[in-house]
Amino acid sequence: MSNRSSSPMLFPSSPSVNNQRTPTRNQRENSNLPPSSPGINPDFLAAPPSSDAGNHRSSSPLHFPSSSASTPRASQHLTPSHQRRGDVHSNLPPSSPSFVKSRRHLTLQNAPNSDIHKSDRTFSQANVPNTDSQTDDSGMLRVIWGTNVQIADSMAAFRAFLRGFKTKYRRAYERDLGRDLPSLTDQASSENVLYESYLRKMRFTGQTNLNLDMNNLISFPQSRKLYSQLQKYPQEIIPIMDQVLKDVMLELGEEDAERDEQRIGQQAWDEELGELMSKVYKVRPFNLPSVNMRELNPSDTDKLVSIKGLVIRATPIIPDMKNAFFKCTICQHTHQVEIDRGRIAEPSRCPRDVCNYQGTMALIHNRCEFADKQIVRLQETPDSVPDGQTPHTVSLCVYDELVDVTKPGDRITVTGIFRSLPVRVNPRQRSIKSLFKTFLDIVHIKRTDANRMGFDATTRPGDRVNLAGVGVGGDDELEAEMANNDDNEAGTIAEEMENKLVEISQRPDCYELLARSLAPSIWEMDDIKKGILLQMFGGTNKSIARGGGGGGPRFRGDINVLLVGDPGTSKSQILQYVHKITPRGVYTSGKGSSAVGLTAYITRDPDSKQLVLESGALVLSDGGVCCIDEFDKMSDATRSVLHEVMEQQTVSIAKAGIITTLNARTSILAAANPVQSKYNVKLPITKNIDLPPTLISRFDLLYLVLDNIDEFADRKLARHLVSMYIEDAPETAGSDVLGLDILTAYITYAKNKVQPELTSEASEELVRCYVQLRKQGEDANNAEKRITATTRQLESMIRLAEGHARMRLSKFVELLDVVEANRLIIDAVKGSATDPVTGLVDISLLNTGYSANNRRQNQDLINEISSLVEGSRSANIKYSDILAQINSQSSIAVDGAMFADAVRQMEENGDLQVVGEGARKMIRKVVT
Amino acid sequence: MVNSHRDAFFKNPSEFIQSIYDKHGAEGIEERIKDEFHSLVLLPGDMDSIARLDEPSSDNHYNTLVRWTAMVQDTGYGTEMYLSTSATNKCLVYGANEDEEVQYVNDSDALSRIRERTNVYAVEIPGDNRSRSRSQRRDLPTGPKHKFPLDGVDDSLGVLLKIYDNDLASSLRPATNYEFVGILGKSALPRTLDSIEDDGAQEYIVPSLHVVYAQPCFNKQTKRVENRGVCESLLNWLKDEVFDGDELAAYYLLLALVSQTQNRKAGSPIGTLPITLSYPESESHSNASKAPPKILKAVQILSNLSAHIPLSIENLNSRRLYPFSNGDDLHSGSLQLSPSTVLILDERFLGQGTLQDTGVRNVHSIQNVIQSQKLEYGFPFSSFAFDTDLIGVVLTDHSKSIIPGTVHIKLRGTPEQLCGELAIPDDAELWREFILQSRCKSVAIPDNISNLIQQSFVDERQTHKQAGLSGEGTSSDDLGRRITMARLLTSLDDFDKSDMNERHWGLITRLEKDRESRGV
């Protein structure tokens, strides 16, 4: 090694290493001084005090905590005022066409092409002292050292691409790969020169970024080679592309100006030209096949890669110094130094020959130039993490326009240059660790999905944002469509899962299979499972878009289900299952549910002295399913909250004088026990559960789960359980069931991706079913009407039909969905709203607690009492006597409660008066 | 010959690796060294000649081969890139020649020197009753506190594993125990780019282990217990010494201790028996009731892995029990425990109060562990559920547990007798082995017993119906629990018996009836 090589700049090397590199032996002998003390190194004393290209005065580089470094292969060229990209760290100067010819040209003496040069590396290193490429007299840079990049060729290819690419090339390319594209609607559009229109758009809107779909690059025959070059040598090719972009921008501007000369005028054009010249144009390539971040390895260093992930953190904007401004403290001479691969070469002495004092140059902070930089942490998305592993993260450096484009929580696909730089043991020391820090310098960001996990997207309105990052291009329909195609091609875990889910949805027994997979350890109860299954899919939320207050009212799409039945009939187990399956499920017991709070309380139950957990379940399950066990044991306060939740889907909290309304867009799956702990089939459901009818009516489906102790069923159940607990492969409710994870994935997928719409056929059927349901209440022999369905049932039916369509992953609600919804409703109504006396369905049982039959009986009773009272001779009649008399006449037994009710009603009407207590309770005639 | 070769590798691996590097170059050196190790360690006994990391010794273990049994805590660090050779052409793979100076010139020659390895963080097995009683090595730096699951352990060992085998690295699972053999060194915990660039941030130096060999380590018995009547003596000891003559409690605790997740059909684990022991109200607020319950000590004696987590409003709200990450590294939580650890949740001093967000999540994750044997690790914007296999024992103060799904046992003894000191019995070692053996014993249920079980279920429900009783009869949950218990009881038989018989079923039915009659 020559003595000269002690100057770090003589080597193509990473800047952050340069200042740490162990000095060569003889240098160490010469100056055994810490390298950071400015201007001591004798070698540098000899260096000419100019800032000319290649001669770097770099004894004491100011080190900035910066990632900006690269493998220099191209020449260095310091032009103090020009701007350069933070992400690429190229060393080629940008220039206008006029510069192109006057620029310093470099060429390599060796054979023009490619990788052979790797073997010549040392040779060229030794011979090329301070540039990586070589100049010859003719002045044409041909090949960038260490690469197969021929600058002129690449420029020509990209120019041809910008001026000649048409979408038909892309279509042809996709076709060759065997991908189906929708046929063209507009034949002419495929003949448009796509990028010229982008460039015009950039000129008109004053934008400087061009998003470049790399698949377009590969589809265009002349630029095909650029694709792999861009991937391998991004920091050489991107600056070339930037350069060409600017050239073509100017060319195109000039052409347009000539055409429209009269219109815009020479002066306007000159101004525009000046503006174009002053701008820095950036090409932002994207649409490279993305790899898993786990697969990034040393061989990817300095290559263009693309990864997907979830942004979990972003630093505040970091000022990244681009241009340092120094002033001599003695002669006031000012001097600017541009950042070079992450470092500022601090001048050790005043560059002015007359002054030339050592160590007088001071940095003037407010005259330095800074660029924006931000470090973003990207985590693997849950669907790409291998089973049983925890997610990995990588750091991204974003610059300039891309700063603050993403927020934590976004899912993005980024394209960037993979960097690995050594870590210094200490900023003041030369020695480095054997460890490297790795990160990506980002050139393009694309948000893949604004949806976050686990939410029903429709419950989060107003979150749709522009998915493209910045710049022009890449957001066209065609490109979006192509991008989608690519997504399907890549065989990630998520896509495999998606295919699997779609496959399931196409099975003819899909509905049965899913219902069976829901709580497979619970025997039978098929209809209940189906109802709950549809609840988990849910209907679509509808809101009236126009209207006051940001969108008008919402109509709930959530389906509420109530299970009533005997203890020990696996109600709780079903709830537990649902809780496990739904992404934002919350399980709570009505006994200790405070429903509203965001926090929870542990309190001692005053009755039993037991500690109970009260949790604010409803708010927690926003966008999910809230499972409430022991629904009947809920406190009245909580219950009143539920009225609001189940229809308006909000929770109002009044605290410290402030009333807030929180969203609680949740479906409720509740389980209640009968009043007398065992369901009395002789009584209507409202008598069996201790719940106000107003609340019961808010449930779309109400199921009775009765424990019929039946020897045969018991035996079957016992066999099932024994096999489940003993054998390895338990016998389930059918051998073919889906696992919990698949079921969860299926439901999440359907909820996020499918928003079914009603077809006209389906709506007709809905109307027909509803009318039919209403008609059942009409009875020719009876003037009185039983109510068999209300609009609530119609709404339920719509929701269930939508849920069923969603389950089929169908975009439309069709006839079969309505038929099934109707069947489920009729089944549920039959079980729950059947008047036990008449055996007829009467929905008012649920709505008011009284059936039509009840009401009629009550009226009969009142009539009878009044006739008895009227017919009596004395003014006061013993209460118990009247009850006894009525019971002796009536064909059905009249119980005390019914009688008391009737008497109370009559008293309220002023027909009679009740006096006395206990045995002396009397009914007094009211004399009018 | 082999011995001297082995010594060279074990005692001075740097030199050994350098000699391989000199001979064969860097290509495939990871594989080559691994092969060398396997050729030197053939017999199980060969492993014993490698020093244990956590054993006190006079020598400095740095740069020698050591072995260590540990629990993987964090697999999220991912790979790191490092230079495989030093400035003087020394090989740096497997942490050899760690002190050599490194130079790096950024050219493509240097690129070929960059290699990658995976970082995984492991901690000493939390709640390991055997190793905790041993004296610890004090000369190693301790790991950061937030990476160790259990609270109140200040000197826990945490080691950054450097893994050179991608297949191995991707097979490691968090909260699982492995035995590692590797070269001991020192390393800073991996940091994120923004903390590297923040000059103020300090790095945390921990021991590192350059892993040559690893294998999963199950909690198994070391020798076969062939003694007869172990179960009886163990039950008697539990009954008399621990539970103040309460045979029922002794049975339930023993059954719980030998339980294990058999399979996870349809999301709910089968084979587990989480129990709640409800302590009687103490009449006198004497000091006796403040003494630790004897069961804590008993569990420590009988199980080699156990963790005691006192629950109070305050600590539920303040410390997360589940592992979580804020984007940098994975913080541990008290529930991140290796399989078959006995998890004692002490609700006796819970009291009333408000649970904040952390508290609610903590209770949620406890419930998940007890009911579903799954623990969710929290990450920003996502969470990942990992299977656990913990044995849940809840202690309450005359109350039901706030965690549903446990078997409630009301203790009979007096508070004074249930708490206090407990002497270590002579048979402790034998019993511990016996419990380990029973845990993995497979049990057969002959057809006639299977029929008996089914028939008894049908009969009980029929009687219930005929008696016209209201309320719950025997539910399917009850049946499931009884089958699990009968199966566990069978596994407690002597080593050569594995069939369930009528006696087991009868005893379990009696125990359940007794337990129910005691109430809450």
Side-chain angles (χ1 to χ4, degrees):
Chain A
M1 239 180 223
S2 78
N3 200 3
R4 291 199 56 188
S5 67
S6 61
S7 161
M9 293 321 292
L10 298 180
F11 259 96
S13 65
S14 153
S16 41
V17 180
N18 277 327
N19 61 330
Q20 297 139 7
R21 193 142 52 85
T22 330
T24 52
R25 208 152 283 130
N26 46 10
Q27 188 190 333
R28 226 183 259 163
E29 284 157 13
N30 288 342
S31 63
N32 205 0
L33 288 163
S36 54
S37 59
I40 306 293
N41 195 328
D43 279 9
F44 295 120
L45 290 173
S50 88
S51 61
D52 210 20
N55 286 310
H56 295 270
R57 314 155 42 80
S58 55
S59 64
S60 146
L62 277 184
H63 201 90
F64 287 89
S66 153
S67 59
S68 24
S70 63
T71 317
R73 290 182 185 123
S75 71
Q76 280 98 50
H77 188 109
L78 290 184
T79 36
S81 61
H82 87 249
Q83 289 182 300
R84 53 166 64 153
R85 300 178 61 156
D87 45 8
V88 179
H89 313 309
S90 92
N91 298 297
L92 289 177
S95 66
S96 62
S98 48
F99 292 1
V100 175
K101 280 144 205 132
S102 62
R103 199 158 42 125
R104 224 171 133 247
H105 295 294
L106 303 161
T107 187
L108 195 75
Q109 72 207 37
N110 294 349
N113 226 326
S114 89
D115 298 333
I116 312 159
H117 288 281
K118 294 242 160 86
S119 55
D120 297 334
R121 205 179 299 119
T122 35
F123 173 65
S124 33
Q125 247 171 38
N127 284 291
V128 185
N130 47 19
T131 57
D132 307 309
S133 21
Q134 225 184 19
T135 326
D136 65 13
D137 294 335
S138 69
M140 199 56 208
L141 172 73
R142 288 213 202 92
V143 178
I144 295 177
W145 177 83
T147 72
N148 63 353
V149 178
Q150 299 185 42
I151 292 183
D153 287 1
S154 302
M155 288 179 89
F158 191 56
R159 178 185 301 268
F161 171 78
L162 286 179
R163 310 233 42 176
F165 178 79
K166 294 169 184 165
T167 49
K168 67 174 181 189
Y169 292 108
R170 177 65 182 274
R171 288 186 178 275
Y173 172 71
E174 300 285 336
R175 238 189 332 271
D176 287 347
L177 290 181
R179 276 178 249 182
D180 275 337
L181 289 176
S183 58
L184 275 183
T185 45
D186 178 11
Q187 201 62 41
S189 76
S190 77
E191 288 294 335
N192 282 349
V193 183
L194 184 68
Y195 283 89
E196 286 192 358
S197 68
Y198 284 160
L199 260 48
R200 288 202 178 91
K201 193 171 160 195
M202 284 167 70
R203 193 172 77 233
F204 296 146
T205 56
Q207 295 190 70
T208 56
N209 291 292
L210 176 71
N211 294 323
L212 170 69
D213 189 335
M214 288 186 64
N215 278 339
N216 287 345
L217 209 55
I218 202 169
S219 333
F220 189 65
Q222 280 159 278
S223 62
R224 194 155 288 166
K225 196 176 160 199
L226 273 179
Y227 180 88
S228 66
Q229 285 181 335
L230 182 56
Q231 200 176 353
K232 279 189 199 146
Y233 315 110
Q235 46 199 356
E236 285 75 29
I237 294 292
I238 292 176
I240 292 173
M241 286 181 165
D242 287 352
Q243 174 72 58
V244 173
L245 173 62
K246 188 163 188 174
D247 294 353
V248 177
M249 280 297 282
L250 290 168
E251 265 172 42
L252 196 67
E254 217 149 328
E255 282 165 26
D256 288 357
E258 267 166 37
R259 207 168 48 228
D260 304 337
E261 208 171 354
Q262 289 87 1
R263 196 163 54 77
I264 54 169
Q266 185 62 35
Q267 200 192 342
W269 164 242
D270 281 349
E271 273 170 29
E272 200 174 339
L273 185 75
E275 207 175 289
L276 289 180
M277 291 283 283
S278 69
K279 280 185 174 146
V280 181
Y281 288 93
K282 294 170 187 171
V283 173
R284 302 197 173 278
F286 73 102
N287 220 352
L288 196 64
S290 65
V291 296
N292 188 311
M293 62 176 76
R294 285 167 200 258
E295 289 162 18
L296 293 176
N297 63 49
S299 66
D300 292 320
T301 302
D302 288 338
K303 301 227 166 80
L304 199 65
V305 293
S306 172
I307 54 172
K308 286 180 183 174
L310 185 68
V311 178
I312 56 168
R313 199 168 61 196
T315 59
I317 299 173
I318 303 168
D320 201 21
M321 190 181 282
K322 288 174 111 181
N323 207 337
F325 189 91
F326 292 97
K327 195 163 94 176
C328 175
T329 47
I330 295 184
C331 69
Q332 311 298 315
H333 175 76
T334 61
H335 177 65
Q336 289 186 38
V337 183
E338 198 180 353
I339 188 163
D340 181 45
R341 294 167 295 171
R343 279 192 320 153
I344 299 286
E346 187 186 335
S348 59
R349 50 178 62 228
C350 183
R352 220 153 65 102
D353 287 342
V354 275
C355 179
N356 202 22
Y357 271 103
Q358 192 175 321
T360 60
M361 299 302 283
L363 186 73
I364 310 296
H365 271 280
N366 54 4
R367 296 204 50 190
C368 296
E369 282 171 32
F370 295 92
D372 290 345
K373 179 185 166 187
Q374 189 179 33
I375 299 175
V376 171
R377 265 187 99 57
L378 195 71
Q379 182 184 278
E380 272 178 294
T381 50
D383 46 8
S384 59
V385 177
D387 204 25
Q389 294 275 317
T390 50
H392 289 184
T393 54
V394 291
S395 293
L396 315 176
C397 287
V398 296
Y399 302 90
D400 306 323
E401 294 91 342
L402 295 181
V403 165
D404 274 350
V405 163
T406 62
K407 294 188 297 293
D410 287 341
R411 283 163 179 246
I412 57 175
T413 303
V414 294
T415 310
I417 304 168
F418 186 62
R419 309 277 191 197
S420 45
L421 293 180
V423 183
R424 277 160 303 138
V425 175
N426 180 312
R428 311 249 170 274
Q429 278 173 4
R430 236 165 222 241
S431 62
I432 59 156
K433 289 177 191 163
S434 58
L435 282 189
F436 282 69
K437 54 181 180 187
T438 52
F439 58 92
L440 265 73
D441 274 333
I442 296 307
V443 296
H444 187 273
I445 296 178
K446 187 168 136 202
R447 265 181 282 190
T448 42
D449 194 356
N451 294 340
R452 299 182 186 166
M453 275 298 287
F455 295 116
D456 177 356
T458 55
T459 66
R460 299 253 179 275
D463 208 22
R464 303 299 302 181
V465 271
N466 178 19
L467 289 182
V470 291
V472 174
D475 46 2
D476 289 60
E477 266 175 45
L478 171 85
E479 303 210 354
E481 168 198 307
M482 305 280 186
N484 283 341
N485 259 5
D486 285 350
D487 282 351
N488 293 338
E489 286 293 307
T492 67
I493 302 169
E495 276 131 23
E496 261 171 46
M497 187 58 119
E498 190 175 325
N499 292 337
K500 205 167 168 186
L501 298 179
V502 172
E503 201 175 291
I504 292 170
S505 78
Q506 279 156 359
R507 285 173 57 156
D509 62 340
C510 164
Y511 186 36
E512 279 71 27
L513 174 71
L514 290 171
R516 201 161 54 213
S517 311
L518 173 74
S521 67
I522 294 165
W523 203 258
E524 286 171 347
M525 304 208 272
D526 285 344
D527 271 348
I528 298 178
K529 284 184 186 176
K530 282 178 181 171
I532 294 173
L533 184 73
L534 295 191
Q535 174 186 33
M536 288 195 286
F537 285 105
T540 54
N541 290 318
K542 297 164 208 62
S543 63
I544 294 170
R546 262 168 281 175
R554 271 179 76 257
F555 290 97
R556 83 179 150 101
D558 300 298
I559 299 167
N560 299 321
V561 178
L562 175 64
L563 306 176
V564 181
D566 296 332
T569 43
S570 355
K571 291 193 302 293
S572 304
Q573 232 179 313
I574 293 181
L575 261 58
Q576 289 281 10
Y577 263 108
V578 173
H579 159 229
K580 269 179 220 157
I581 292 167
T582 50
R584 275 172 74 86
V586 166
Y587 179 86
T588 178
S589 165
K591 214 172 177 179
S593 200
S594 70
V596 281
L598 289 164
T599 57
Y601 306 88
I602 292 182
T603 51
R604 211 172 268 281
D605 187 356
D607 307 329
S608 61
K609 304 270 179 274
Q610 301 280 321
L611 283 175
V612 288
L613 182 72
E614 296 194 350
S615 61
L618 292 172
V619 179
L620 285 180
S621 62
D622 185 21
V625 175
C626 182
C627 306
I628 308 176
D629 209 350
E630 302 190 73
F631 193 63
D632 46 323
K633 303 204 177 49
M634 216 169 227
S635 68
D636 289 345
T638 312
R639 231 178 252 170
S640 69
V641 169
L642 277 176
H643 279 115
E644 186 188 347
V645 170
M646 291 174 69
E647 216 55 54
Q648 274 73 48
Q649 306 220 295
T650 53
V651 169
S652 303
I653 299 176
K655 229 169 203 178
I658 302 164
I659 300 170
T660 329
T661 304
L662 297 173
N663 286 322
R665 290 159 294 206
T666 167
S667 328
I668 289 177
L669 172 60
N673 289 329
V675 181
Q676 295 159 325
S677 89
K678 182 103 179 83
Y679 195 89
N680 187 344
V681 284
K682 296 190 186 77
L683 291 175
I685 191 155
T686 39
K687 290 259 163 59
N688 263 309
I689 37 173
D690 182 20
L691 283 174
T694 46
L695 195 53
I696 296 181
S697 71
R698 282 175 159 81
F699 285 98
D700 299 73
L701 293 172
L702 197 159
Y703 284 108
L704 288 179
V705 190
L706 300 183
D707 186 11
N708 295 320
I709 296 179
D710 161 16
E711 199 177 332
F712 176 71
D714 283 354
R715 201 172 288 282
K716 223 165 123 187
L717 179 64
R719 191 177 316 129
H720 165 61
L721 282 168
V722 171
S723 77
M724 183 160 93
Y725 277 84
I726 288 166
E727 284 148 28
D728 289 333
E731 185 194 334
T732 41
S735 53
D736 181 20
V737 290
L738 299 174
L740 202 62
D741 47 338
I742 297 183
L743 195 55
T744 309
Y746 193 94
I747 290 168
T748 314
Y749 178 80
K751 278 190 100 165
N752 286 334
K753 297 271 164 98
V754 187
Q755 305 295 339
E757 283 168 32
L758 280 172
T759 57
S760 60
E761 197 188 10
S763 20
E764 273 161 32
E765 176 69 11
L766 274 169
V767 172
R768 202 187 59 76
C769 289
Y770 178 62
V771 170
Q772 199 182 25
L773 207 56
R774 294 273 296 181
K775 265 194 184 154
Q776 282 185 2
E778 279 174 22
D779 193 340
N781 306 326
N782 202 332
E784 219 171 336
K785 255 193 179 176
R786 282 180 298 123
I787 301 168
T788 44
T790 66
T791 47
R792 277 222 165 100
Q793 271 67 43
L794 177 61
E795 283 185 316
S796 300
M797 209 185 287
I798 295 171
R799 285 193 283 265
L800 286 168
E802 283 170 347
H804 192 263
R806 234 184 208 172
M807 181 214 62
R808 297 187 296 119
L809 302 185
S810 156
K811 280 183 187 153
F812 299 101
V813 180
E814 284 161 44
L815 192 65
L816 74 156
D817 301 315
V818 179
V819 169
E820 174 61 17
N822 188 38
R823 188 188 71 81
L824 282 172
I825 295 238
I826 290 179
D827 260 24
V829 166
K830 248 188 215 157
S832 57
T834 306
D835 189 328
V837 180
T838 59
L840 294 171
V841 172
D842 189 344
I843 209 77
S844 57
L845 244 181
L846 296 180
N847 289 339
T848 62
Y850 292 99
S851 66
N853 191 35
N854 273 146
R855 288 195 302 271
R856 205 179 55 239
Q857 272 182 15
N858 193 41
Q859 197 52 52
D860 288 353
L861 190 60
I862 288 173
N863 294 342
E864 194 56 36
I865 294 170
S866 78
S867 73
L868 277 172
V869 173
E870 289 297 326
S872 158
R873 265 156 292 165
S874 102
N876 291 340
I877 316 160
K878 255 192 170 172
Y879 188 88
S880 48
D881 282 357
I882 293 191
L883 180 58
Q885 279 184 35
I886 286 175
N887 263 337
S888 67
Q889 297 172 6
S890 167
S891 55
I892 50 166
V894 176
D895 62 2
M898 242 171 114
F899 182 70
D901 259 2
V903 171
R904 200 182 312 115
Q905 276 181 29
M906 293 174 76
E907 201 180 359
E908 280 163 6
N909 291 341
D911 295 339
L912 43 77
Q913 219 182 337
V914 179
V915 290
E917 277 303 313
R920 275 190 278 162
K921 200 171 180 178
M922 306 286 259
I923 290 174
R924 184 180 289 166
K925 250 196 273 190
V926 177
V927 187
T928 44
Chain B
M1 170 58 202
V2 174
N3 273 334
S4 66
H5 204 52
R6 188 184 297 161
D7 269 2
F9 191 4
F10 290 2
K11 299 293 176 225
N12 196 351
S14 287
E15 214 162 274
F16 187 82
I17 290 167
Q18 184 62 36
S19 71
I20 290 180
Y21 173 72
D22 290 342
K23 218 183 288 172
H24 303 281
E27 197 60 44
I29 190 159
E30 290 95 343
E31 276 297 310
R32 208 159 264 136
I33 290 165
K34 215 172 75 186
D35 292 347
E36 284 287 341
F37 176 80
H38 284 286
S39 71
L40 291 174
V41 180
L42 295 169
L43 304 166
D46 292 342
M47 212 60 147
D48 296 339
S49 59
I50 305 172
R52 296 186 67 100
L53 175 70
D54 47 1
E55 231 160 42
S57 94
S58 50
D59 314 341
N60 183 357
H61 282 321
Y62 282 113
N63 300 321
T64 67
L65 208 64
V66 291
R67 66 196 165 108
W68 188 43
T69 314
M71 184 184 89
V72 170
Q73 192 264 332
D74 184 359
T75 55
Y77 283 127
T79 55
E80 72 179 4
M81 295 189 187
Y82 70 103
L83 272 183
S84 57
T85 53
S86 75
T88 50
N89 204 21
K90 294 275 190 205
C91 178
L92 305 179
V93 182
Y94 284 108
N97 305 307
E98 209 178 33
D99 302 327
E100 284 293 320
E101 198 158 318
V102 180
Q103 246 187 34
Y104 178 64
V105 177
N106 194 344
D107 57 23
S108 34
D109 178 44
L111 280 181
S112 68
R113 288 162 65 206
I114 303 178
R115 286 169 178 259
E116 64 174 349
R117 61 189 175 202
T118 309
N119 281 321
V120 170
Y121 190 78
V123 293
E124 64 175 84
I125 298 170
D128 190 340
N129 295 322
R130 288 168 303 182
S131 82
R132 271 282 139 190
S133 55
R134 279 200 298 265
S135 60
Q136 290 280 305
R137 284 177 61 90
R138 302 285 168 208
D139 55 339
L140 289 172
T142 59
K145 259 177 128 172
H146 72 264
K147 305 281 284 176
F148 191 70
L150 297 178
D151 226 354
V153 184
D154 293 332
D155 57 347
S156 64
L157 203 54
V159 171
L160 190 67
L161 305 171
K162 307 259 178 190
I163 294 162
Y164 294 80
D165 177 344
N166 272 335
D167 294 339
L168 170 66
S170 56
S171 72
L172 296 179
R173 297 282 177 268
T176 310
N177 297 341
Y178 295 88
E179 178 163 42
F180 296 103
V181 175
I183 299 159
L184 186 65
K186 259 186 218 162
S187 170
L189 279 184
R191 294 192 298 164
T192 57
L193 187 65
D194 36 338
S195 82
I196 291 177
E197 304 212 338
D198 176 9
D199 291 332
Q202 276 298 308
E203 32 182 44
Y204 205 108
I205 304 288
V206 290
S208 62
L209 194 67
H210 300 266
V211 176
V212 179
Y213 167 83
Q215 70 162 14
C217 171
F218 301 105
N219 190 12
K220 280 228 164 79
Q221 82 271 24
T222 48
K223 58 177 189 287
R224 202 165 135 103
V225 177
E226 299 193 348
N227 307 34
R228 308 245 162 218
V230 186
C231 177
E232 283 71 29
S233 66
L234 178 50
L235 266 174
N236 281 331
W237 177 75
L238 277 174
K239 183 180 96 181
D240 297 332
E241 299 294 326
V242 181
F243 288 116
D244 191 20
D246 189 343
E247 192 193 18
L248 188 75
Y251 263 115
Y252 275 94
L253 179 65
L254 187 56
L255 293 178
L257 287 180
V258 295
S259 69
Q260 194 183 25
T261 309
Q262 301 288 345
N263 62 37
R264 298 171 190 271
K265 282 288 149 113
S268 49
I270 286 174
T272 54
L273 186 71
I275 57 170
T276 296
L277 297 172
S278 150
Y279 278 74
E281 255 176 318
S282 152
E283 278 113 42
S284 58
H285 289 276
S286 64
N287 287 334
S289 61
K290 291 271 183 287
K294 286 180 180 169
I295 184 179
L296 297 183
K297 183 80 184 168
V299 167
Q300 269 182 27
I301 292 170
L302 296 179
S303 166
N304 39 28
L305 297 175
S306 73
H308 174 226
I309 303 176
L311 300 181
S312 70
I313 299 289
E314 198 193 338
N315 64 25
L316 277 175
N317 279 335
S318 58
R319 194 176 195 258
R320 295 191 227 215
L321 297 178
Y322 56 94
F324 71 99
S325 157
N326 54 11
D328 293 335
D329 58 354
L330 185 71
H331 293 232
S332 189
S334 301
L335 294 174
Q336 198 185 25
L337 300 169
S338 53
S340 82
T341 305
V342 182
L343 177 67
I344 304 175
L345 297 163
D346 199 341
E347 283 181 22
R348 289 175 309 138
F349 306 107
L350 188 56
Q352 303 192 56
T354 305
L355 288 182
Q356 309 295 339
D357 185 57
T358 309
V360 175
R361 285 166 199 272
N362 278 337
V363 172
H364 218 272
S365 46
I366 294 177
Q367 286 180 357
N368 256 336
V369 166
I370 296 291
Q371 292 170 7
S372 331
Q373 292 289 357
K374 272 187 192 291
L375 180 60
E376 290 224 331
Y377 289 28
F379 289 91
F381 306 104
S382 55
S383 64
F384 293 81
F386 287 88
D387 286 348
T388 57
D389 188 5
L390 307 180
I391 296 163
V393 177
V394 184
L395 308 181
T396 66
D397 184 17
H398 196 65
S399 167
K400 257 191 185 168
S401 168
I402 58 163
I403 302 143
T406 57
V407 185
H408 188 88
I409 302 132
K410 192 174 173 181
L411 294 182
R412 273 271 163 80
T414 62
E416 288 71 25
Q417 289 300 313
L418 288 169
C419 299
E421 290 303 309
L422 187 69
I424 296 178
D426 301 335
D427 289 336
E429 192 58 34
L430 176 73
W431 290 345
R432 186 183 288 175
E433 293 288 321
F434 175 70
I435 284 173
L436 288 175
Q437 177 174 305
S438 304
R439 216 177 263 160
C440 29
K441 193 156 141 185
S442 59
V443 168
I445 302 184
D447 282 348
N448 60 330
I449 299 299
S450 162
N451 290 335
L452 172 78
I453 293 170
Q454 291 170 32
Q455 189 58 45
S456 71
F457 177 69
V458 174
D459 288 350
E460 268 185 52
R461 282 171 66 91
Q462 285 297 319
T463 348
H464 187 82
K465 185 185 179 188
Q466 275 150 21
L469 295 171
S470 66
E472 289 185 67
T474 312
S475 71
S476 55
D477 283 355
D478 295 337
L479 179 65
R481 184 170 59 246
R482 285 185 198 179
I483 299 170
T484 302
M485 288 172 64
R487 193 184 160 126
L488 295 172
L489 188 69
T490 314
S491 73
L492 282 168
D493 277 352
D494 289 335
F495 71 99
D496 50 356
K497 291 184 198 142
S498 65
D499 280 1
M500 193 187 284
N501 58 35
E502 285 175 37
R503 184 187 67 83
H504 296 121
W505 184 249
L507 180 59
I508 291 301
T509 316
R510 181 175 69 78
L511 287 175
E512 280 283 281
K513 290 252 184 293
D514 279 2
R515 183 181 67 84
E516 276 158 27
S517 68
R518 285 192 189 184
V520 178

